[in-house]
Amino acid sequence: MIHVRLQAESFDAGAELARVEALGGGGVASFTGIVRGDDGLTELLLEHHAEMTRAMMEALAADAAKRWDLLGVVVLHRHGALAPGEPIVFVATAATHRGAALDACASLIDRLKTQAPFWKRETFADGRQRWVEPRASDDAAAARWLRDGG
Amino acid sequence: MNILYFAWVREQIGTGHEDLDPPAGVRDVRGLIAWLAARSPGHESALRDTSRLRAAVDQTFVDLDAPVAGAREVAIFPPVTGG
Protein backbone atom coordinates (compact mmCIF):
# COMPACT_ATOMS: atom_id res chain seq x y z
CA MET A 1 0.00 0.00 0.00
CA ILE A 2 1.53 3.28 -1.15
CA HIS A 3 -0.44 6.40 -0.28
CA VAL A 4 0.80 9.90 -1.19
CA ARG A 5 -1.07 13.15 -0.64
CA LEU A 6 -0.15 16.79 -1.28
CA GLN A 7 -2.77 19.12 0.19
CA ALA A 8 -3.47 22.54 1.69
CA GLU A 9 -5.80 21.17 4.36
CA SER A 10 -4.60 19.83 7.71
CA PHE A 11 -4.63 16.10 8.45
CA ASP A 12 -5.17 13.80 11.41
CA ALA A 13 -1.81 12.09 12.00
CA GLY A 14 -3.44 9.61 14.40
CA ALA A 15 -5.95 8.45 11.80
CA GLU A 16 -3.22 8.14 9.16
CA LEU A 17 -1.08 6.10 11.54
CA ALA A 18 -3.99 3.78 12.38
CA ARG A 19 -4.37 2.99 8.69
CA VAL A 20 -0.72 1.87 8.51
CA GLU A 21 -0.93 -0.09 11.78
CA ALA A 22 -3.84 -2.10 10.34
CA LEU A 23 -1.68 -3.59 7.56
CA GLY A 24 -0.50 -6.51 9.69
CA GLY A 25 3.20 -5.63 9.86
CA GLY A 26 5.28 -6.29 12.96
CA GLY A 27 6.77 -2.79 12.96
CA VAL A 28 5.34 0.63 12.19
CA ALA A 29 7.39 3.85 12.27
CA SER A 30 6.13 7.39 11.77
CA PHE A 31 7.30 10.99 11.71
CA THR A 32 5.18 14.14 12.01
CA GLY A 33 6.76 17.50 11.23
CA ILE A 34 5.16 20.46 13.05
CA VAL A 35 5.58 24.23 12.47
CA ARG A 36 7.75 25.73 15.24
CA GLY A 37 6.89 29.19 16.60
CA ASP A 38 10.56 30.14 17.18
CA ASP A 39 11.56 33.83 17.21
CA GLY A 40 7.98 35.08 17.00
CA LEU A 41 7.14 33.19 13.80
CA THR A 42 3.50 33.75 12.88
CA GLU A 43 3.26 32.01 9.51
CA LEU A 44 5.14 29.44 7.48
CA LEU A 45 4.31 29.53 3.76
CA LEU A 46 5.09 26.42 1.73
CA GLU A 47 5.40 27.04 -1.98
CA HIS A 48 5.49 24.08 -4.39
CA HIS A 49 5.38 23.07 -8.06
CA ALA A 50 1.96 21.52 -8.64
CA GLU A 51 3.08 18.57 -10.81
CA MET A 52 6.77 18.16 -9.94
CA THR A 53 6.29 18.09 -6.19
CA ARG A 54 3.63 15.38 -6.28
CA ALA A 55 5.70 13.33 -8.77
CA MET A 56 8.78 13.53 -6.54
CA MET A 57 6.78 12.50 -3.45
CA GLU A 58 5.41 9.50 -5.36
CA ALA A 59 8.87 8.55 -6.66
CA LEU A 60 10.43 8.72 -3.17
CA ALA A 61 7.60 6.63 -1.66
CA ALA A 62 7.86 4.00 -4.41
CA ASP A 63 11.64 3.90 -4.03
CA ALA A 64 11.41 3.33 -0.26
CA ALA A 65 8.72 0.66 -0.64
CA LYS A 66 10.95 -1.25 -3.04
CA ARG A 67 14.24 -0.80 -1.20
CA TRP A 68 12.90 -1.89 2.23
CA ASP A 69 10.16 -4.26 1.09
CA LEU A 70 7.51 -2.32 2.99
CA LEU A 71 3.97 -3.51 3.63
CA GLY A 72 2.81 0.07 3.45
CA VAL A 73 3.98 3.66 3.22
CA VAL A 74 2.08 6.91 3.70
CA VAL A 75 3.60 10.28 2.72
CA LEU A 76 1.57 13.46 3.31
CA HIS A 77 2.85 16.99 2.74
CA ARG A 78 0.97 20.26 3.05
CA HIS A 79 1.37 23.45 1.04
CA GLY A 80 0.16 27.01 1.58
CA ALA A 81 0.14 29.16 4.72
CA LEU A 82 0.56 27.32 8.05
CA ALA A 83 0.52 28.57 11.66
CA PRO A 84 2.79 27.42 14.52
CA GLY A 85 1.66 24.09 15.94
CA GLU A 86 0.15 22.86 12.69
CA PRO A 87 1.41 19.63 11.08
CA ILE A 88 3.40 20.11 7.82
CA VAL A 89 4.49 16.62 6.88
CA PHE A 90 3.73 13.04 7.88
CA VAL A 91 5.50 9.80 6.96
CA ALA A 92 4.54 6.33 8.18
CA THR A 93 6.00 2.99 7.16
CA ALA A 94 5.00 -0.59 7.98
CA ALA A 95 7.31 -3.58 7.64
CA THR A 96 7.68 -7.09 9.00
CA HIS A 97 10.42 -5.94 11.41
CA ARG A 98 11.35 -2.64 13.07
CA GLY A 99 14.65 -2.03 11.23
CA ALA A 100 13.11 -1.65 7.79
CA ALA A 101 10.25 0.50 9.10
CA LEU A 102 12.57 2.86 11.02
CA ASP A 103 15.15 3.20 8.25
CA ALA A 104 12.55 3.71 5.52
CA CYS A 105 10.78 6.38 7.57
CA ALA A 106 14.01 8.28 8.34
CA SER A 107 15.16 8.05 4.73
CA LEU A 108 11.86 9.38 3.40
CA ILE A 109 11.81 12.43 5.66
CA ASP A 110 15.48 13.21 4.90
CA ARG A 111 14.93 12.91 1.15
CA LEU A 112 11.67 14.90 1.19
CA LYS A 113 13.57 17.77 2.80
CA THR A 114 16.28 17.95 0.15
CA GLN A 115 14.67 16.54 -3.02
CA ALA A 116 10.98 17.48 -3.08
CA PRO A 117 10.38 20.93 -4.61
CA PHE A 118 9.07 22.90 -1.64
CA TRP A 119 10.22 26.36 -0.55
CA LYS A 120 9.49 27.76 2.92
CA ARG A 121 8.96 31.44 3.73
CA GLU A 122 8.81 32.52 7.37
CA THR A 123 6.79 35.56 8.50
CA PHE A 124 7.43 37.00 11.97
CA ALA A 125 5.28 39.08 14.36
CA ASP A 126 7.11 42.30 13.38
CA GLY A 127 6.24 41.73 9.70
CA ARG A 128 9.69 40.52 8.62
CA GLN A 129 9.72 37.78 5.98
CA ARG A 130 12.57 35.40 5.21
CA TRP A 131 12.98 32.49 2.80
CA VAL A 132 14.47 29.48 4.57
CA GLU A 133 17.97 28.60 3.36
CA PRO A 134 18.90 24.95 2.90
CA ARG A 135 21.16 23.54 5.62
CA ALA A 136 24.27 21.52 4.91
CA SER A 137 23.22 19.11 7.69
CA ASP A 138 20.00 18.33 5.76
CA ASP A 139 22.01 17.53 2.61
CA ALA A 140 24.35 15.33 4.66
CA ALA A 141 21.38 13.47 6.18
CA ALA A 142 19.88 12.78 2.75
CA ALA A 143 23.24 11.83 1.23
CA ARG A 144 23.68 9.18 3.94
CA TRP A 145 20.84 7.16 2.36
CA LEU A 146 22.32 7.49 -1.12
CA ARG A 147 25.74 6.41 0.09
CA ASP A 148 24.15 3.41 1.80
CA GLY A 149 22.87 2.27 -1.56
CA GLY A 150 19.90 4.26 -2.76
CA MET B 1 8.75 28.27 -23.66
CA ASN B 2 7.01 28.33 -20.30
CA ILE B 3 9.40 29.83 -17.71
CA LEU B 4 8.49 29.30 -14.04
CA TYR B 5 10.00 31.03 -11.00
CA PHE B 6 9.66 30.01 -7.37
CA ALA B 7 10.30 31.44 -3.89
CA TRP B 8 12.49 34.60 -3.74
CA VAL B 9 13.29 34.30 -7.43
CA ARG B 10 9.55 34.70 -8.12
CA GLU B 11 9.22 37.55 -5.62
CA GLN B 12 12.14 39.56 -7.02
CA ILE B 13 11.02 39.09 -10.63
CA GLY B 14 7.44 39.94 -9.70
CA THR B 15 5.75 37.02 -11.45
CA GLY B 16 5.78 33.23 -11.20
CA HIS B 17 5.39 32.59 -14.90
CA GLU B 18 6.43 33.99 -18.29
CA ASP B 19 5.77 32.60 -21.76
CA LEU B 20 8.81 33.53 -23.87
CA ASP B 21 10.67 32.53 -27.04
CA PRO B 22 14.41 32.71 -26.32
CA PRO B 23 16.65 33.39 -29.34
CA ALA B 24 18.46 30.49 -31.02
CA GLY B 25 21.73 31.47 -29.33
CA VAL B 26 20.32 30.37 -25.95
CA ARG B 27 21.49 26.77 -25.69
CA ASP B 28 21.54 25.79 -22.02
CA VAL B 29 19.92 26.79 -18.74
CA ARG B 30 22.86 29.06 -17.89
CA GLY B 31 22.44 30.87 -21.21
CA LEU B 32 18.71 31.17 -20.65
CA ILE B 33 19.28 32.69 -17.20
CA ALA B 34 21.74 35.24 -18.66
CA TRP B 35 19.18 36.17 -21.35
CA LEU B 36 16.36 36.47 -18.81
CA ALA B 37 18.48 38.60 -16.46
CA ALA B 38 18.50 41.44 -19.02
CA ARG B 39 14.69 41.72 -19.05
CA SER B 40 14.28 43.98 -15.99
CA PRO B 41 16.08 45.14 -12.82
CA GLY B 42 14.06 42.53 -10.89
CA HIS B 43 15.23 39.76 -13.22
CA GLU B 44 18.82 41.01 -12.92
CA SER B 45 18.65 41.03 -9.14
CA ALA B 46 17.07 37.55 -8.88
CA LEU B 47 19.26 35.87 -11.51
CA ARG B 48 22.64 37.56 -11.01
CA ASP B 49 24.20 34.92 -8.73
CA THR B 50 23.73 31.57 -10.46
CA SER B 51 25.40 29.71 -7.58
CA ARG B 52 22.15 30.32 -5.64
CA LEU B 53 19.93 28.95 -8.42
CA ARG B 54 18.70 25.49 -9.35
CA ALA B 55 16.62 24.46 -12.36
CA ALA B 56 14.30 21.87 -13.83
CA VAL B 57 13.70 21.28 -17.54
CA ASP B 58 10.34 19.72 -18.34
CA GLN B 59 9.94 18.93 -14.63
CA THR B 60 13.25 17.08 -14.21
CA PHE B 61 15.99 18.57 -12.01
CA VAL B 62 19.03 19.44 -14.15
CA ASP B 63 22.44 21.14 -13.92
CA LEU B 64 22.64 24.68 -15.27
CA ASP B 65 24.64 23.29 -18.21
CA ALA B 66 21.66 21.21 -19.40
CA PRO B 67 20.34 22.04 -22.89
CA VAL B 68 17.01 23.84 -23.23
CA ALA B 69 16.39 23.26 -26.96
CA GLY B 70 12.86 21.97 -27.44
CA ALA B 71 11.95 22.34 -23.76
CA ARG B 72 8.34 23.22 -23.03
CA GLU B 73 8.94 24.25 -19.41
CA VAL B 74 12.00 25.56 -17.59
CA ALA B 75 11.71 26.26 -13.85
CA ILE B 76 14.28 28.41 -12.01
CA PHE B 77 14.37 28.44 -8.21
CA PRO B 78 16.55 28.42 -5.07
CA PRO B 79 17.59 25.11 -3.46
CA VAL B 80 14.52 23.34 -2.05
CA THR B 81 13.61 23.43 1.66
CA GLY B 82 10.76 20.96 2.23
CA GLY B 83 9.91 18.59 5.05
Side-chain angles (χ1 to χ4, degrees), chain B residues 5-45:
Chain B
Y5 307 114
F6 292 94
W8 53 259
V9 178
R10 172 183 58 72
E11 285 186 340
Q12 289 182 21
I13 289 175
T15 179
H17 159 251
E18 295 185 288
D19 198 1
L20 300 171
D21 285 314
V26 168
R27 299 184 185 284
D28 55 17
V29 176
R30 199 176 295 282
L32 178 65
I33 289 172
W35 179 71
L36 291 168
R39 287 177 59 76
S40 80
H43 286 77
E44 208 279 331
S45 149

Side-chain angles (χ1 to χ4, degrees), chain B residues 1 3 14 34 43 50:
Chain B
M1 186 183 287
I3 316 282
H43 286 77
T50 54

Side-chain angles (χ1 to χ4, degrees), chain A residues 47 49 118-121 131, chain B residues 7 10-11 73 78 81 83:
Chain A
E47 190 167 317
H49 180 303
F118 287 100
W119 298 271
K120 287 186 184 134
R121 189 188 69 191
W131 288 94
Chain B
R10 172 183 58 72
E11 285 186 340
E73 179 187 298
T81 54

Side-chain angles (χ1 to χ4, degrees), chain A residues 47-49 51-52 56 77 89 113-121 131-134, chain B residues 4-8 10-11 52 56 59-61 73 75 77-83:
Chain A
E47 190 167 317
H48 73 295
H49 180 303
E51 296 94 28
M52 250 184 107
M56 181 58 79
H77 208 302
V89 59
K113 240 183 187 338
T114 56
Q115 290 176 246
F118 287 100
W119 298 271
K120 287 186 184 134
R121 189 188 69 191
W131 288 94
V132 175
E133 295 285 333
Chain B
L4 303 181
Y5 307 114
F6 292 94
W8 53 259
R10 172 183 58 72
E11 285 186 340
R52 301 182 68 203
Q59 305 189 0
T60 300
F61 287 107
E73 179 187 298
F77 43 81
V80 305
T81 54

